[in-house]
Amino acid sequence: AARTESARINGREVRFAPGETVLEVARRAGIPVPTLCEFAALAHRPGTCRMCLVEIKAPGEAAYSLATACDTRMTPGLEVETRSKRVREARKLQASLLFADHCETCSACARHGQCELQDVARSVGLDLGRLSGRYVSRTAEKDKTAALVFTPDKCIRCLRCVEVCRQVHGIGAITFEGIGTGAAVGFDGRPWAESDRCIQCGQCSLVCPTGAIAVKDQCERALELFEDPSVTTVVQMAPAVRFTIGEAMGLPAGENLEGFLVAGLK
């Protein structure tokens, strides 16, 4: 059996393997800790959003200190508090700072109602009605490609899109550019549509927590073409669609639904 050590979270004893983070152990124990930048499937934990703040105290230390749970390793005898007043206030302040540098057009956002930033704000008790976006440091002008849209002032610099482009495809078409408040997601320093590396796979839009990167909605245009008697419409499906559509239909994973798709399109 793998060697485990003991520590305490909120006064409760937990076991952990060497190298595990406070966030991983807390999740396994069913203890909620809010996150935004962390993405477990890619082992992505840059600690940039600062929403997973907890208090920690190592053996022999007199006082607790604040630390990010996603990149702080558990150690034997460590005491962790995830719901103290200091932690609650620190998370609320950090959420306020994220919103202060975030656009206020939530109702027009592709992720409205399914936004991780909104979820985190609610979890820490932030009053969304009093937010202003007064410190937004990036343009609201959209950067578009044939299939995707990037809205800079919705980006919270979590770097998930950068990571998924590197890890899943090994391309690295999305970059992180600039310094200080001017730091932002970019595409080799030029408009996204001019990138000679991006293959328009859309993986970045799937992992984006706020809708800063979204799929361009062309459904209405497609319906108009289908209904136009003067247009002969030819449909080309991506290979993955015949399998992934099954999830939305509640069918077993991996079932080939190409016939269903062709019939439905006809």
Side-chain angles (χ1 to χ4, degrees):
R3 179 172 64 89
T4 63
E5 304 283 359
S6 174
R8 303 185 77 82
I9 301 181
N10 299 338
R12 169 182 164 189
E13 184 177 3
V14 293
R15 307 292 300 185
F16 64 92
E20 286 191 298
T21 65
V22 172
L23 179 60
E24 289 172 321
V25 178
R27 278 181 175 163
R28 189 167 62 244
I31 299 170
V33 176
T35 61
L36 278 172
C37 66
E38 185 267 350
F39 199 74
L42 296 175
H44 179 64
R45 48 178 73 93
T48 56
C49 75
R50 319 305 289 177
M51 284 308 310
C52 63
L53 289 170
V54 295
E55 282 192 298
I56 62 172
K57 185 173 72 170
E61 292 185 351
Y64 283 89
S65 58
L66 285 173
T68 45
C70 71
D71 57 2
T72 298
R73 305 292 177 181
M74 290 291 276
T75 55
L78 188 70
E79 294 184 33
V80 181
E81 288 291 335
T82 71
R83 56 194 181 198
S84 67
K85 181 178 180 180
R86 184 184 180 191
V87 166
R88 296 196 310 271
E89 290 178 345
R91 290 176 182 170
K92 194 170 184 177
L93 173 60
Q94 187 58 28
S96 299
L97 293 172
L98 286 172
F99 268 98
D101 188 31
H102 191 77
C103 78
E104 291 299 300
T105 56
C106 290
S107 61
C109 180
R111 278 293 183 92
H112 184 46
Q114 295 181 311
C115 172
E116 292 182 44
L117 182 57
Q118 289 177 332
D119 292 342
V120 162
R122 282 188 286 268
S123 75
V124 300
L126 196 63
D127 182 0
L128 297 178
R130 300 180 61 186
L131 304 174
S132 67
R134 60 191 178 278
Y135 299 128
V136 172
S137 56
R138 290 140 299 147
T139 177
E141 185 177 348
K142 293 179 171 61
D143 189 352
K144 300 179 181 179
T145 69
L148 299 161
V149 180
F150 173 53
T151 309
D153 66 347
K154 291 180 181 177
C155 176
I156 61 169
R157 306 178 180 95
C158 69
L159 308 184
R160 288 187 188 180
C161 58
V162 176
E163 197 72 23
V164 75
C165 194
R166 289 174 179 172
Q167 285 200 40
V168 175
H169 288 297
I171 295 175
I174 304 178
T175 51
F176 193 62
E177 303 164 359
I179 60 174
T181 58
V185 165
F187 310 93
D188 292 324
R190 52 186 168 174
W192 197 357
E194 295 180 7
S195 172
D196 57 4
R197 293 197 288 166
C198 177
I199 61 172
Q200 304 288 293
C201 69
Q203 291 289 336
C204 51
S205 68
L206 293 177
V207 300
C208 179
T210 66
I213 297 181
V215 175
K216 186 183 292 185
D217 186 353
Q218 295 178 302
C219 291
E220 191 62 35
R221 176 61 177 151
L223 291 173
E224 290 174 359
L225 291 172
F226 292 158
E227 294 171 354
D228 188 340
S230 67
V231 175
T232 299
T233 304
V234 178
V235 178
Q236 180 180 6
M237 291 182 290
V241 173
R242 67 193 71 177
F243 298 103
T244 55
I245 196 70
E247 182 179 351
M249 299 173 66
L251 297 174
E255 184 172 346
N256 190 338
L257 300 174
E258 185 175 356
F260 283 84
L261 289 167
V262 171
L265 288 166
K266 286 182 176 179

